[in-house]
Structures are given as structure tokens and as C-alpha cells.
Amino acid sequence: MIKAGENGNDRSVTQTVRAQLALRDLVLRGELNPGERVSELQMVERLGVSRTPVRMALVRLEEEGLLEAIPSGGFSVKTFSEKEVFEAIEIRGTLEGLAARLAAERGVSRTDLRNAADCLDAIDDVMRRNPADIDLLRYVELNARFHDILIGMADSQALARQLERVNALPFASPSALVPVQSRSPEMNYILSVAQDQHHCVLSAIERREGARAEAIMREHARIAHRNLERALTNQRDMDLVPGSVLIKRRIRA
Amino acid sequence: MIKAGENGNDRSVTQTVRAQLALRDLVLRGELNPGERVSELQMVERLGVSRTPVRMALVRLEEEGLLEAIPSGGFSVKTFSEKEVFEAIEIRGTLEGLAARLAAERGVSRTDLRNAADCLDAIDDVMRRNPADIDLLRYVELNARFHDILIGMADSQALARQLERVNALPFASPSALVPVQSRSPEMNYILSVAQDQHHCVLSAIERREGARAEAIMREHARIAHRNLERALTNQRDMDLVPGSVLIKRRIRA
DNA sequence: ATTGCTGGACCTGTATACATTCTGCATCCG
DNA sequence: CGGATGCAGAATGTATACAGGTCCAGCAAT
């Protein structure tokens, strides 16, 4: 049954993890109809592992928020209303704000500051090097890294855990909605505003200005709100949003 | 094997749920040494169910934050530093603040307002009826209810989920640290301050004063901080803190 | 045509056997 | 005497068989 080379059997990676990754992929790509029940046996067929790891994967994906437990047993693919997506982003902004405040109030090490500053330098570089055709992939990567560094500076395992959970929703993570801008003439403008906020929050943390650091990160998340709003009105941009198939669209005027 | 009446076999309750409840109880009562590995087979013996439901329970308790995954496999009982406990409370305060702000900004239904007001009336009643010997159990219950109503008023499934997660930590939930005051002469004073905050936040929500509502809930959580501080300095009060056995104490001057 | 019932397929919950990996200890070599 | 090494035991990961429960289709009766 185990055919090496077929789907990257590594022996070090458990079947459970493999099933989890594969299932998440199926859900996010919309190959499982939202709202539909996810049958264990069908997944056994489809993923090529036995029921036990499929079961574990289902439980973990429910924990991630991508699946929903059915009262009578089993799981179904979760759907999200537009409202829920906005709220998820708002929650992320609030928690990142808390992280920034904690970092500012407690103070951070010189090396942390250095790492963050280096990361911002790299982003500046990306934006300066080729303003007409920005390397979005690299921007997204660096942006995610900065946010991770920020969370790290708060030095709070509990907070990191909570944020991990919010970011598990594919459309809520810090970099999820950046690509939506790619078809907009305003992209450079928005990106530079966002990057300015990055600089400002780092400066605030350095000066131990907690309230300011918090406010900036909250506002920073609002950029994602704007991008989402754009994607919802321009339907053709929706395919740039990860997990967009899970979003129950409302009729829009 | 299934002995009805021994541990409430209901047939409608799955073995998994039973195992989860029993295991949580074992962890919270400190019958499993913090930091120690939780052996599946030992739990099978101890709980009287097979490995499968035990496994499920372990995964769910990890999700709750009471257990920690060991990289090489299996789980261990998680320990919390004092810092982590404070942070968990801070996170709760922040999220409850967000809930209050959302409720205020969006406006809430008349029936919600009524329910909340009724709950506060009931708390007032408890405090007035017998000031010398307050029925703490009932206070705790009503307090938890008020916080639940508040979360409900935010009308955000995502936020409710996140708060559920924080409150799963036994010492972080709104009512967890209330009993610590029971041995303090200041109890009545602190309870009335807390209750005043309840009234104020409800009034703020009613008037749609979002920023104020948020600030109040954040400050409200700080009462728990104070109670925790008390318990940590007066070791004899620690046994009033649920899950206190999981808290790694530091030497205090 | 509608409603209630019944049979059966399917699905999940549970238990357990098997395979593989990890761990701890004793022993041996440098 | 310290550290590496190999072995035994145990623990987890995985697969699968079995037992109920749920839900739907089809049929019959009204």
C-alpha cells in the first residue's frame, strides 16, 4: 500500500500529518463542497491511508476551524459568512495589538530589534528595487516574517498560541489578502502605507510607547479589511483569496 | 466492562467524552504529575475505556491547552508559569474588551439588554441580601452568566470560539479567581467594584460608547490579576484556585 | 398526493492486533 | 572513569474488525 515516491512518503512524517495536509488542501481548494459531510471512508479511499489517521486529521482540522462537528457524529466542511471573515481579521488585529503593547511595555532585546529592523530593510529593498513590478511573493514572505517576529517579541506563549489559531484560517493570516492588491493601481500606495506602519510600530516598541504600538497594529489589520472589501466587490479578485470557496457570498448591489 | 451506575454510563454520552471529562479531572486535581508523560495504556487501565477514545481525549485536551504534545509522540501534562497565567487573563480581558466594543458599535437587541440587566439585578440581590456572608457560589454562577451574555451580544462566532479557548484554562475564566477573595476582608469592596464595572459596561454598550465599553472590560480583567497576585503571595489561598497544581511557582520574597 | 412506516445501506464509535519507533539501562570500550 | 553502543521493554502510530446509530428510499395505506 505504501508506495514511496507517490506522495512523498518520508517515513519520518506520520500518516496523520500527511492526511491532515492533504485534507486541508482538499478543503481549501474547494474539492469538498462547503457544508457537505466529510465521509471518513471516502477520505480513506482518496488519501490512501486508513481510518485512524483520517480521523485524527478530521479532529485537528475541526480544531483549526476548517471543519465543523455534526451533532450526530462526523464532520462537515465549514462555511464562513463575510461577517465572520471580517471578524477574524479584527480578532487578529486586536491580538497583534496586544502583542505589540506587551513588547513595548516589557521592552525587547537588542537582537530582536535588530532582526525586525533587518526584515523591514529587506521589505524596503523589495519595494525600491523594482517599483513597477514588485516581487509580491517575496513581499508576502517578508511580511509574514515581520509579523512572526513581532509576535515573538511579546514573549508570550499563550498569546502566540491564540494567534496561531486565528492565522490558521487561510484568509485571516497577515499576508493572506496582500495578493488581492496585485491588480490594483493603488497597490504601491497601499503597500507603502502598510510598510510605514511596520516602521512606526517598531519605533513605538523601541520607545516603549505601548498604547501607540497597539493602536498601530490594530489599524494595520484594517488594510486587510480594505483588501477583502475590494475582493468582495470585484468578484474576479476573489480567486486571489486563499480559501475563498469557503466564503458564503452575499448578494451585493 | 461497562458497569452502569459506576461512572454514569449514559449510552448517549460517548466513551470519548467520558474519557475527556475524566482525564481533565485527573489533570486538574493534580493526580497526574505536571510535566509527566501521560501514558495511553495507563489511562486505559485507569479510565476503563479502550485506547481509541483515550487517544481522542488526549488530542482534545491538548487543544484545550491542558496537555502538551511531545515531539517524539504522546503528550505530557502542561505546566504554566506565573507569567503565563497573567498573560492568559490579559488575553481574556482583551478579547472581552473587543466583544464589548463590537456589541456597542453594532448595537444590541432589547431582549439582550434585558437579559443582561436581569442578570446584574440578580447579582445586586445576592450582594444586598446577606452582605456579611455572601453566597459566593451563586455570585460565581451569575458572574459567569453575565460574561456569557456579553460575549453573546457581540454576535461573533469567531470571537466566541476564541474566548471559549482562553476560558478553557481553568484559572483564566472570568469566575475562576473570585473565590480567592473569600478569605479577604476586602471581598465585599472588590466585588462591588467588579459589579459596578458590570453596570458601567452595560450602560456603555447601551449608549454605543465602544471605546469606553472596551476599556472597562480590560480593566475588569485586572481584578483577576489582583486576585491571582493575592493567591500567589498567600500560599494558603492557592487551593482556592482551580488547576493551581499546574502552576509552576516561583520563589517569592 | 401525502404521510407514516419499514428495510437497508452507510457511517461513525469502539476495541484490539500488529508494526515501528523511542527510551532507558546495562554493558563494554577507550 | 566517562561516554558510546546495543538490547529489551514499552509506548505510540496504524490498520482493521465489529457494533450500534442515523438517515434515506421505497412502499403501503389513507
Side-chain angles (χ1 to χ4, degrees), chain A residues 1 14-16 49-53 72:
Chain A
M1 163 166 288
T14 64
Q15 299 287 69
T16 299
V49 299
S50 82
R51 276 187 62 203
T52 307
S72 66

Side-chain angles (χ1 to χ4, degrees), chain B residues 81-83 86 229 232 247-253:
Chain B
S81 66
E82 298 179 6
K83 177 165 158 289
F86 277 107
E229 191 66 49
L232 288 173
I247 302 176
K248 209 169 24 197
R249 305 211 53 229
R250 233 186 23 227
I251 286 76
R252 303 181 74 84

